[in-house]
Amino acid sequence: MKEYKYTINGNKYEVAITDITDNIATLTVNGEEYTVEMEKQPEPEKPKPVVRPAAASTSDDAPAASKAVADKANAVKAPLPGVITDIKVAVGDEVQVGDTVVVLEAMKMANNLTAEKAGQVTAVCVKIGESVMEDDALVVIE
């Protein structure tokens, strides 16, 4: 049994909680017994699973290089997390500084990612529809 003492607007109350069953509590206030129905606690919301879009099939696209094999030092990297919406180059393509190689959607905006140096594309490390994190290698240019 829990006992409490309250003063409300100068009036003193001695409250004893004698029993709680489900959402019904039996209280004694200044010697008089009351039955009180309490509001049920809302069920905590279960976290919703995060669903990512399935990566598009690359059967028509140039084969993507294995992420483990590509030399990441020469890669164009994602400047922020997002989803790849377009790949403008394929393995073997020659690119110049400033050529768009990948389009990355981040924060509901399409970002054209450009080649930082001239050279040949030796690996494409992503697929259309793939989610990437900041600093993930996207295209390797050597």
Side-chain angles (χ1 to χ4, degrees):
M1 175 180 351
K2 292 186 179 182
E3 295 183 10
Y4 302 93
K5 293 183 180 183
Y6 299 103
T7 302
I8 302 172
N9 292 331
N11 298 323
K12 294 188 179 196
Y13 298 93
E14 290 184 21
V15 179
I17 301 174
T18 55
D19 183 42
I20 298 177
T21 306
D22 291 326
N23 65 326
I24 306 295
T26 306
L27 308 175
T28 304
V29 180
N30 292 344
E32 204 169 319
E33 193 168 299
Y34 295 93
T35 301
V36 179
E37 182 177 357
M38 300 180 292
E39 288 186 21
K40 289 188 177 185
Q41 292 289 332
E43 299 255 344
E45 285 189 36
K46 294 179 183 173
K48 296 179 182 168
V50 176
V51 179
R52 294 185 180 180
S57 171
T58 57
S59 58
D60 296 334
D61 299 337
S66 168
K67 291 185 181 185
V69 174
D71 178 16
K72 307 294 195 246
N74 296 320
V76 174
K77 296 182 180 179
L80 65 167
V83 177
I84 303 300
T85 57
D86 197 8
I87 300 172
K88 302 283 189 181
V89 295
V91 174
D93 287 356
E94 291 290 329
V95 294
Q96 299 300 316
V97 174
D99 288 352
T100 299
V101 293
V102 173
V103 179
L104 173 73
E105 183 179 313
M107 299 184 293
K108 300 193 182 213
M109 292 185 62
N111 299 283
N112 292 326
L113 304 182
T114 59
E116 297 167 355
K117 68 177 193 173
Q120 183 177 21
V121 176
T122 58
V124 177
C125 304
V126 293
K127 300 174 187 169
I128 293 175
E130 182 176 346
S131 294
V132 295
M133 298 304 292
E134 184 175 357
D135 290 329
D136 282 356
L138 306 176
V139 174
V140 178
I141 301 170
E142 294 188 16

